[in-house]
Amino acid sequence: MTTLPSVHDQDRPGRREPASTDTTHAATIVNPVLPGFHPDPSILRVGDDYYIATSTFEWLPGVSVHHSRDLVHWNPLGGVLREQRLIELSGRPDSGGVWAPCLSYTDGLFHLVYSDVTNLSGAFKDVHNRVTTAPALDGPWSDPAPFPSHGFDPSLFHDDGPDGDGRSWALWMQWDHRPGRHPFAGILLQEWDRTERRVTGPAHRIFGGTRLAHTEGPHLYRRNGWYYLVTAEGGTSWGHAVTVARSRKIIGPYEADPTGPLLTSAGHERLPLQKAGHGSLVETPAGEWYLAHLMARPLSPLGPCVLGRETALQRVEWTPDDWPRLGGEPLTGNQDNAVPRTTVPGPRLPPAPIVHSPARDDFDEPALATPWSTLRRHPDPSWLSLGERPGHLRLRGGQSLGSTHGQSLVARRQQSLRFDFAAHLTAEARSPLQMAGIVHYYNSGLWHYLHLTWDEDLGRVLRVGVCAHGEYFEPTAPVTVPSGPLELRLTVREAQGNFCWRAGHDAGHDAAWQRIGPDLDVTRLSDESATKGDPATGHFTSWGFTGAFAGLCAQDLTGAGMTADFDWAEYRETAPDPGERP
């Protein structure tokens, strides 16, 4: 079992530099603050510390958390749900699993509410919502308690402070599968008993949404005698938005902001930040407010979003009549004022930069480093080891890349449109059913795979496999390779990717990389490519909620558990060449 690093651990990768005490000039926030697959942000302040929790879907550890002291620099802490008793994802569908967490704090405890979606296709959504608590983000986390589950996007609001009554309230969106009804049936609220860890009293339908519909992602706040309900609306694509409604009483009625959404990029297809929506608010000790929200960066206007849905921050100001507005422009009430900005004035807090993790991981530590995730199963000695061969990540071959059970796959998020991903591999395949290599992966039906395997006629070979919506093909003939270690490389430049290889080499000797296969269409590894269905009804046969990953994997369909050893892996983002379009 691995442990979530403490925010005060100064010796690990991604550690924080000593904070400056200069607050005379606020730093600039550059969006996205969490690039790559980091959707559905829940932002929280505890004292001087800020946290953002984001969805992880079928990837583990569940619920990714980042930490900051200045809202500008964000340090990845890894995932919270690291044990099978907290989340079990075997067999979860693509884009199922852990949805829309809410992180809150009261009584000296962090409260984490999250959905576990077991089915999401068609008219039905089968969901288990749960709550777990811990005195610190590195645990120990309590056994999860059940939460109302006839809908998703659960959250908790604690009515603390001098004007509050100290009670807690559960919120969630209600799903309605019946024909002729809109499936997004409004926001429900019910009192939550923190001692008994259960809801109590009647459930109240406090908000039916605006004309944008698809009302979800509720978060509740209190300010100046008002309760503010922040929701996501318009669907989590190009029409996405953050809307705000308010009431003097917690159970409503809630009045929607008459000027329209607080945030949306809808109707502005050339904005660099699209799909802006699903937000949550935070206030600094000095009374400065910010909105964390998801967004995406398409390769072209309204084009594919390979990086998935990311997290950005916007500054929020308040009108004299107590409505929130995005800062940075005159508060005219014009909907254009609601568009997301790529740069935002930061709060007047001491700068707290971080030291980023190195590009290369030599697998010298006893546990996987923070950037790595596994697919649907927790790290376990039965399939993953960092100690059997010191200085190597050892994977035992599991099921195929098309499986939702038992995959031996370790991957990290693609966080730039331009990057190189390389690894050093040692493996001895003895059957076409044994494979190991590097993969550019979106989901079980969308991936590009350079793998070492065996061919009855050619012997030891490298193959390039492509899976496009479940259809497997190989765009090039297999290449015979010598015995011994190999180095494999994936190069991605926006919409194109390609693979190279070379024989493993000693320090100081760089053999030439050899190209294998044609340029590959990276746009198929996107939310847009994965999503199929009817946006008008909200009923879909498949969803694309995640983002592309670069990873290391091994398969052994014979069941013998072939081992694959990775001496190192590295992920390097690259800048455009001179004169090339950025």
Side-chain angles (χ1 to χ4, degrees):
M1 170 180 157
T2 55
T3 302
L4 189 72
S6 165
V7 299
H8 304 296
D9 183 355
Q10 297 295 307
D11 296 322
R12 63 183 175 85
R15 65 188 183 278
R16 187 168 302 283
E17 289 291 301
S20 165
T21 58
D22 179 16
T23 60
T24 56
H25 299 286
T28 297
I29 296 170
V30 179
N31 285 318
V33 293
L34 306 183
F37 162 50
H38 293 105
D40 310 323
S42 170
I43 192 167
L44 170 70
R45 178 174 68 86
V46 180
D48 294 329
D49 295 293
Y50 298 84
Y51 303 95
I52 292 178
T54 53
S55 300
T56 45
F57 295 87
E58 63 262 44
W59 293 93
L60 291 167
V63 183
S64 180
V65 177
H66 287 70
H67 169 259
S68 178
R69 287 282 179 87
D70 60 6
L71 297 182
V72 177
H73 306 92
W74 290 90
N75 193 37
L77 300 184
V80 170
L81 305 179
R82 292 177 168 264
E83 302 174 62
Q84 191 165 325
R85 68 180 180 88
L86 298 174
I87 192 70
E88 167 56 54
L89 296 181
S90 179
R92 294 297 183 266
D94 292 331
S95 289
V98 179
W99 285 20
C102 174
L103 187 65
S104 61
Y105 186 84
T106 192
D107 296 340
L109 291 173
F110 288 94
H111 290 65
L112 179 66
V113 195
Y114 56 97
S115 293
D116 175 11
V117 179
T118 63
N119 166 61
L120 67 158
S121 63
F124 294 92
K125 301 289 180 287
D126 295 296
V127 182
H128 301 297
N129 293 330
R130 298 187 175 96
V131 183
T132 180
T133 61
L137 282 175
D138 55 2
W141 290 92
S142 66
D143 289 339
F147 196 88
S149 296
H150 45 291
F152 46 86
D153 291 3
S155 72
L156 276 175
F157 167 68
H158 310 292
D159 203 358
D160 298 330
D163 299 325
D165 59 12
R167 293 193 289 176
S168 292
W169 297 84
L171 297 99
W172 67 99
M173 67 79 63
Q174 184 176 20
W175 183 262
D176 193 336
H177 68 277
R178 292 173 291 181
R181 296 173 179 262
H182 198 289
F184 291 77
I187 303 302
L188 300 183
L189 176 139
Q190 191 172 9
E191 187 175 352
W192 177 260
D193 187 320
R194 296 198 298 268
T195 301
E196 297 292 330
R197 300 211 304 164
R198 61 178 178 84
V199 289
T200 182
H204 307 271
R205 185 176 182 271
I206 61 172
F207 190 56
T210 73
R211 61 176 179 80
L212 295 177
H214 298 86
T215 308
E216 57 186 338
H219 293 280
L220 199 59
Y221 306 89
R222 183 166 47 79
R223 179 184 182 273
N224 286 356
W226 290 101
Y227 290 95
Y228 291 90
L229 178 65
V230 177
T231 64
E233 291 198 305
T236 187
S237 187
W238 312 114
H240 209 195
V242 172
T243 57
V244 178
R246 71 182 185 185
S247 173
R248 290 293 187 183
K249 297 181 179 180
I250 195 167
I251 62 173
Y254 281 81
E255 172 202 7
D257 188 337
T259 65
L262 171 63
L263 171 77
T264 187
S265 47
H268 301 275
E269 65 182 35
R270 296 200 171 273
L271 285 175
L273 308 185
Q274 291 290 329
K275 302 185 180 181
H278 200 118
S280 59
L281 292 167
V282 71
E283 182 184 13
T284 72
E288 298 173 280
W289 287 77
Y290 286 84
L291 175 76
H293 66 93
L294 73 76
M295 38 66 56
R297 292 177 290 170
L299 286 166
S300 58
L302 305 187
C305 299
V306 175
L307 299 175
R309 299 172 304 154
E310 308 171 279
T311 287
L313 288 175
Q314 305 296 328
R315 189 176 178 91
V316 171
E317 300 173 0
W318 295 85
T319 66
D321 59 346
D322 286 326
W323 285 108
R325 300 284 184 269
L326 294 194
E329 294 180 9
L331 303 181
T332 63
N334 189 310
Q335 184 170 326
D336 287 348
N337 195 49
V339 300
R341 283 73 154 171
T342 54
T343 57
V344 176
R348 294 189 177 275
L349 293 172
I354 64 171
V355 177
H356 294 284
S357 300
R360 177 174 290 205
D361 190 340
D362 289 309
F363 301 118
D364 293 328
E365 299 299 321
L368 288 173
T370 299
W372 297 108
S373 296
T374 60
L375 188 60
R376 294 185 176 90
R377 63 172 171 170
H378 298 276
D380 180 277
S382 67
W383 70 276
L384 182 154
S385 173
L386 287 157
E388 286 186 15
R389 185 179 178 186
H392 292 74
L393 168 66
R394 169 165 288 182
L395 300 180
R396 283 185 170 80
Q399 295 192 15
S400 75
L401 284 171
S403 175
T404 58
H405 299 79
Q407 281 208 43
S408 297
L409 172 59
V410 175
R412 54 150 301 146
R413 290 161 175 81
Q414 177 182 341
Q415 295 183 277
S416 170
L417 295 175
R418 307 172 61 88
F419 73 95
D420 296 323
F421 179 74
H424 183 285
L425 167 67
T426 302
E428 294 301 330
R430 289 290 180 258
S431 163
L433 301 178
Q434 296 177 324
M435 294 159 274
I438 62 174
V439 63
H440 200 190
Y441 183 96
Y442 183 88
N443 65 20
S444 63
L446 296 167
W447 39 264
H448 302 156
Y449 185 23
L450 174 61
H451 56 280
L452 175 69
T453 184
W454 179 264
D455 183 271
E456 298 92 335
D457 298 323
L458 300 174
R460 196 171 193 251
V461 296
L462 282 173
R463 292 180 178 270
V464 175
V466 172
C467 189
H469 299 289
E471 179 185 354
Y472 179 79
F473 63 94
E474 296 185 359
T476 190
V479 173
T480 303
V481 293
S483 61
L486 298 175
E487 293 183 5
L488 311 178
R489 187 179 73 186
L490 165 67
T491 296
V492 172
R493 298 294 182 265
E494 298 182 343
Q496 290 186 337
N498 61 69
F499 288 114
C500 295
W501 73 279
R502 64 185 178 187
H505 59 280
D506 297 326
H509 172 67
D510 284 332
W513 287 101
Q514 301 181 54
R515 177 78 173 266
I516 178 170
D519 283 334
L520 300 171
D521 181 9
V522 169
T523 66
R524 68 166 58 95
L525 310 181
S526 68
D527 292 1
E528 289 67 32
S529 180
T531 301
K532 306 292 180 185
D534 184 359
T537 64
H539 296 158
F540 287 73
T541 57
S542 66
W543 285 100
F545 283 152
T546 54
F549 280 68
L552 316 169
C553 58
Q555 298 82 34
D556 191 341
L557 307 185
T558 72
M562 178 198 74
T563 60
D565 292 336
F566 295 90
D567 185 19
W568 53 260
E570 64 178 27
Y571 170 90
R572 295 184 184 274
E573 297 178 359
T574 62
D577 296 330
E580 189 177 354
R581 181 174 67 86

